[in-house]
Amino acid sequence: MAEIKRILVSQPKPAILEKSPFFELANKYNLEVDYRPLIEVKGVTPKEFRSQRVEILAHTAVIFTSRTTIDSFFRICEDARITVPETMKYICSTEAIALYLQKYIVYRKRKISFADGTFTGIVEQIVKHKDEKLLLSLSEPHKPEIPEALTRLKINYTPVILARTVASDISAEELQSYDMLLLYSPWEVKALCEKMSAEQMPVISTFGEGTLRLASENHLPVKASAPSPGAPSLAKAVDNYISAVLAGKEIEDVEFAENEQNEEFLRTQQTKLAKKTRTRKK
């Protein structure tokens, strides 16, 4: 099995390299680590937004899962001369995204809530605000899990596309010069597959269930994946893999397995909401 010497991280270059977990990894194994996104996320144009016929002011809360959709939301409001009311609430998938709202509004905990970045965490936050008229901001393409979950739970929401994902201009020849590619989203897998075949690819490492699922479906050589019990971060997963390779171990491809916990979580939420509905009727 080939030794890993050059790694491409499909993320923007950190402002402080020394604080990146890959900086320590590079020193530990004498690696060359480059940062270059395989995709770019751009906000939709005012025309693209208008074509969706969504009335922002008809909603009382907005759900955000990325900073790009926050930028796009407030830019569209400015272009359309929409004054977002002080009473508008915001539900964010992580604290970092919630704090990013300070770029546009005064941060008040009573109107801003956030989850821990997990699927169950964001759905729990949304369920807490189920009586609001919710606007779900999305990128195109997007993971279907959250819209499907809200539909199953009969949550009153309106989906709106606020950003689009496009492939970056990195070439197949450049990608083949690396020993390992670190991918963080299904759209990066899609962009990669458009540039080369699975047989041409270096070793792949993935973060997130959706990324691993699509990589497995396209028969990519995934040798490290996170989060997992032994690797909560992608840096740790790569560390484990390189350590095993240096020890002379043969590493099988990582296989995707359905997350039964998410399904069980949704069934539990459905039961809770059904009970509350019956109680109100009584």
Side-chain angles (χ1 to χ4, degrees), residues 219-260:
H219 309 292
L220 304 194
V222 180
K223 298 296 184 181
S225 183
S228 69
S233 69
L234 199 49
K236 182 60 178 175
V238 173
D239 190 349
N240 292 344
Y241 172 74
I242 295 177
S243 177
V245 169
L246 293 176
K249 297 179 181 178
E250 189 69 26
I251 311 298
E252 298 291 333
D253 287 358
V254 180
E255 294 185 359
F256 172 76
E258 290 288 349
N259 190 334
E260 292 297 330

Side-chain angles (χ1 to χ4, degrees), residues 39-272:
I39 58 173
E40 298 176 57
V41 183
K42 300 180 178 180
V44 299
T45 64
K47 182 179 180 180
E48 288 173 322
F49 172 75
R50 288 194 298 271
S51 68
Q52 298 178 70
R53 301 185 181 278
V54 172
E55 295 291 337
I56 289 176
L57 296 181
H59 300 83
T60 58
V62 188
I63 303 165
F64 288 120
T65 57
S66 75
R67 296 180 183 184
T68 304
T69 52
I70 290 177
D71 288 334
S72 183
F73 175 82
F74 286 100
R75 176 178 52 78
I76 285 168
C77 288
E78 183 179 0
D79 290 344
R81 297 182 180 178
I82 296 171
T83 301
V84 181
E86 289 289 322
T87 54
M88 184 71 81
K89 295 180 180 179
Y90 303 92
I91 305 165
C92 302
S93 57
T94 67
E95 183 178 12
I97 292 173
L99 291 172
Y100 188 73
L101 281 167
Q102 293 177 107
K103 182 177 178 180
Y104 299 99
I105 64 172
V106 176
Y107 191 96
R108 292 194 182 95
K109 288 185 178 180
R110 62 180 175 81
K111 69 175 183 178
I112 298 175
S113 57
F114 56 85
D116 58 2
T118 64
F119 168 79
T120 55
I122 186 64
V123 172
E124 283 180 334
Q125 285 296 329
I126 294 170
V127 169
K128 288 179 183 178
H129 296 83
K130 65 183 183 302
D131 294 327
E132 303 288 344
K133 294 178 181 177
L134 298 163
L135 183 64
L136 174 61
S137 64
L138 297 167
S139 295
E140 184 62 45
H142 57 267
K143 298 177 183 178
E145 286 89 347
I146 292 178
E148 287 177 357
L150 301 192
T151 299
R152 281 182 58 180
L153 296 173
K154 299 180 180 179
I155 301 292
N156 180 20
Y157 79 99
T158 304
V160 59
I161 303 299
L162 292 181
R164 298 194 186 281
T165 302
V166 297
S168 65
D169 59 358
I170 187 168
S171 69
E173 290 73 21
E174 289 176 284
L175 292 169
Q176 287 174 322
S177 70
Y178 292 95
D179 303 309
M180 176 179 269
L181 307 179
L182 277 56
L183 311 180
Y184 288 81
S185 80
W187 327 131
E188 292 167 6
V189 174
K190 184 175 182 293
L192 186 61
C193 290
E194 289 173 354
K195 294 177 185 292
M196 65 177 80
S197 67
E199 293 74 23
Q200 297 173 304
M201 291 185 191
V203 168
I204 304 295
S205 185
T206 63
F207 184 83
E209 183 180 327
T211 313
L212 177 58
R213 180 204 293 266
L214 192 60
S216 297
E217 289 174 355
N218 284 276
H219 309 292
L220 304 194
V222 180
K223 298 296 184 181
S225 183
S228 69
S233 69
L234 199 49
K236 182 60 178 175
V238 173
D239 190 349
N240 292 344
Y241 172 74
I242 295 177
S243 177
V245 169
L246 293 176
K249 297 179 181 178
E250 189 69 26
I251 311 298
E252 298 291 333
D253 287 358
V254 180
E255 294 185 359
F256 172 76
E258 290 288 349
N259 190 334
E260 292 297 330
Q261 290 181 335
N262 285 352
E263 182 61 29
E264 181 60 32
F265 167 77
L266 283 178
R267 286 195 292 265
T268 302
Q269 292 297 319
Q270 283 179 305
T271 302
K272 286 181 179 178

